[in-house]
C-alpha cells in the first residue's frame, strides 16, 4: 500500500513540476507560421507610430559638449571691441568645416 501511495504522490507532483518549469515558455506567443508578410505601407505605419528613441550620448559627444561644441558649431576664438570701427574676428568649426569670420559693425 505504501508503494501505491508513493506512485500516486509522484503522479501528482510530476505534472505540477513540469507545468511550473514550462510556464515561462508559455509567456510569449509563437509567431503565426502562415501569417502574410506585412506590406511596406504597414511597416512604415508601425515605425511612424513608435516614439523616437533619444540619441545616446557617447564619450566623444560628452567631451565635445564640455569643450563648447553646440549644434555642430565650435567657436575657437572671438575678438570683440567696444570701438565700432574695429572689426570683430572669429574662428572655429561650423558643421565640420573650418570657419574664419571678419565682421565690421558700423555705428549702433
Amino acid at each position: 500500500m505504501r508503494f501505491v501511495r508513493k506512485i500516486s504522490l509522484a503522479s501528482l507532483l510530476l505534472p505540477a513540476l513540469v507545468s511550473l518549469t514550462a510556464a515561462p515558455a508559455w509567456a510569449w506567443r509563437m509567431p503565426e507560421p502562415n501569417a502574410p508578410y506585412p506590406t511596406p505601407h504597414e511597416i512604415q505605419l508601425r515605425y511612424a507610430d513608435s516614439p523616437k528613441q533619444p540619441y545616446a550620448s557617447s564619450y566623444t559627444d560628452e567631451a565635445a559638449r564640455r569643450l563648447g561644441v553646440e549644434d555642430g558649431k565650435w567657436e575657437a576664438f572671438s575678438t570683440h571691441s567696444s570701438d565700432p570701427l574695429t572689426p570683430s574676428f572669429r574662428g572655429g568649426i561650423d558643421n565640420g568645416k573650418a570657419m574664419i569670420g571678419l565682421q565690421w559693425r558700423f555705428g549702433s
Side-chain angles (χ1 to χ4, degrees):
M1 197 66 169
R2 257 183 155 164
F3 180 70
V4 174
R5 189 177 293 161
K6 286 184 180 180
I7 290 178
S8 63
L9 182 64
S11 66
L12 292 175
L13 289 178
L14 186 62
L17 184 63
V18 168
S19 68
L20 288 177
T21 57
W26 294 334
W28 294 280
R29 290 184 350 185
M30 291 293 294
E32 176 79 31
N34 296 326
Y37 190 75
T39 63
H41 178 68
E42 290 173 336
I43 293 172
Q44 288 175 354
L45 286 177
R46 184 182 306 158
Y47 288 123
D49 291 342
S50 64
K52 301 287 185 214
Q53 296 294 325
Y55 177 71
S57 179
S58 67
Y59 174 76
T60 54
D61 293 336
E62 182 67 25
R65 189 180 63 80
R66 287 182 183 236
L67 289 173
V69 176
E70 291 180 9
D71 297 326
K73 298 177 184 177
W74 177 60
E75 194 170 294
F77 57 88
S78 178
T79 60
H80 296 286
S81 175
S82 60
D83 184 11
L85 298 177
T86 306
S88 65
F89 189 62
R90 297 178 304 157
I93 297 175
D94 186 8
N95 292 325
K97 300 173 188 156
M99 173 196 68
I100 296 178
L102 183 63
Q103 183 177 18
W104 277 275
R105 294 183 186 229
F106 296 109
S108 293

